[in-house]
């Protein structure tokens, strides 16, 4: 497996460098905003901006993941992979392990950044730890959903399904925002404080723990499903 991971990261190298630069710029912007923010800046404003930047970092890690499959989308390569001792199982599991490592690395970077800004602000700001765990679990689920389509039908169709589903979720969110019950937003004097208090409670921690376990479990199920799908998908790849 170590050889497969090395091959994956080598093929993914340029995208990882780009992703690393993006993450570094995001971290620098967060630290500068915390260190040099005017004393009269509303606390909720900065506290609300940080989760948005963290979301962007996780989203970008998901944007680049399809590049991991691009180099292998050839029938000759697929047949060679299947004939190797590790077979389709090792190939597919290597992809999943690689994407999981990238997601964990993004989570660690965000957690370390959040810890630093919490110390810089003298513990006067809300920690984004709960938000980060939610983003990590959501990214894992999103990857688990999209990867089988990449392996079975190729990058083009996989991207269509993956980002099409994201568009549907955004549309549902907009519809709810327009016609649903958003009284908690309209009635809140400090929306960010209300949200951070809500997601930091004991009940939210229990839900988050369950969400984490479910996300990892579905990621594992997705991996197992993808192995036979990859074998079928190889026959549909171009020469």
């Amino acid at each position: 497996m170590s050889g497969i991971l090395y091959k994956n990261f080598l093929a993914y190298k340029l995208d990882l460098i780009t992703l690393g630069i993006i993450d570094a710029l995001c971290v620098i912007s967060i630290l500068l905003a915390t260190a040099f923010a005017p004393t009269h800046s509303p606390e909720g404003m900065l506290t609300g901006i940080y989760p948005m930047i963290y979301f962007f970092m996780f989203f970008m890690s998901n944007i680049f993941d399809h590049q991991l499959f691009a180099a292998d989308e050839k029938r000759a390569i697929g047949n060679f992979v299947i004939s190797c001792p590790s077979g389709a199982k090792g190939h597919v599991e290597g992809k999943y392990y690689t994407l999981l490592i990238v997601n964990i690395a993004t989570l660690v970077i965000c957690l370390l950044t959040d810890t630093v800004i919490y110390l810089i602000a003298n513990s006067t700001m809300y920690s984004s730890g709960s938000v980060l765990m939610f983003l990590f679990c959501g990214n894992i689920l999103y990857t688990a959903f999209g990867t089988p389509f990449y392996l079975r039908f190729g990058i083009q169709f996989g991207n269509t399904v993956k980002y099409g589903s994201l568009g549907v979720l955004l549309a549902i969110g907009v519809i709810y925002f327009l016609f649903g019950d958003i009284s908690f937003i309209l009635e809140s004097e400090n929306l960010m404080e209300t949200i951070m208090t809500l997601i930091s409670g004991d009940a939210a921690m229990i839900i988050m723990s369950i969400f984490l376990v479910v996300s990892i479990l579905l990621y594992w199920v997705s991996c197992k499903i993808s192995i036979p799908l990859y074998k079928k998908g190889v026959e549909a790849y171009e020469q």
Side-chain angles (χ1 to χ4, degrees):
M1 182 58 68
S2 59
I4 295 176
L5 291 177
Y6 175 77
K7 178 188 74 70
N8 288 340
F9 282 113
L10 192 62
Y12 202 30
K13 180 174 62 176
L14 293 179
D15 298 291
L16 288 176
I17 292 174
T18 304
L19 185 60
I21 293 173
I22 293 173
D23 286 351
L25 292 175
C26 289
V27 170
I28 291 172
S29 65
I30 290 175
L31 296 179
L32 290 177
T34 305
F36 298 104
T39 55
H40 61 273
S41 295
E43 177 185 311
M45 181 182 71
L46 287 178
T47 308
I49 290 174
Y50 296 155
M52 294 172 61
I53 298 178
Y54 293 142
F55 171 80
F56 175 75
M57 293 170 67
F58 275 101
F59 182 73
M60 291 308 297
S61 69
N62 219 304
I63 284 289
F64 285 105
D65 65 356
H66 70 274
Q67 297 295 337
L68 183 63
F69 304 92
D72 300 328
E73 200 171 295
K74 297 290 183 181
R75 188 184 303 176
I77 295 177
N79 289 329
F80 173 75
V81 166
I82 293 175
S83 67
C84 290
S86 57
K89 181 176 182 293
H91 178 76
V92 171
E93 288 181 350
K95 301 293 186 185
Y96 274 82
Y97 280 128
T98 301
L99 294 175
L100 181 61
I101 291 171
V102 172
N103 276 287
I104 291 175
T106 303
L107 175 64
V108 171
I109 292 171
C110 291
L111 285 172
L112 290 175
T113 304
D114 197 61
T115 301
V116 172
I117 64 174
Y118 192 72
L119 295 175
I120 293 176
N122 295 320
S123 304
T124 60
M125 300 182 68
Y126 297 102
S127 171
S128 300
S130 300
V131 176
L132 292 175
M133 288 306 301
F134 176 80
L135 291 175
F136 173 75
C137 294
N139 222 32
I140 288 297
L141 284 178
Y142 195 47
T143 301
F145 171 74
T147 301
F149 291 99
Y150 285 141
L151 293 170
R152 175 61 180 87
F153 300 105
I155 293 175
Q156 186 173 358
F157 184 82
N159 279 337
T160 300
V161 172
K162 190 172 182 179
Y163 297 117
S165 64
L166 180 61
V168 171
L169 291 176
L170 290 175
I172 293 174
V174 170
I175 292 173
Y176 179 81
F177 186 80
L178 292 175
F179 304 105
D181 181 14
I182 56 173
S183 57
F184 74 98
I185 296 178
L186 301 177
E187 297 173 0
S188 176
E189 295 181 0
N190 189 329
L191 178 60
M192 186 51 58
E193 181 179 357
T194 301
I195 294 176
M196 297 304 290
T197 301
L198 180 65
I199 65 177
S200 300
D202 293 337
M205 292 296 99
I206 294 175
I207 294 174
M208 188 59 64
S209 300
I210 296 174
F211 189 29
L212 176 61
V213 173
V214 171
S215 299
I216 297 297
L217 178 61
L218 290 179
Y219 193 78
W220 177 81
V221 171
S222 173
C223 179
K224 296 303 178 182
I225 291 175
S226 292
I227 295 173
L229 290 180
Y230 174 71
K231 294 178 181 179
K232 293 181 180 180
V234 166
E235 298 304 320
Y237 290 166
E238 296 181 358
Q239 291 288 353

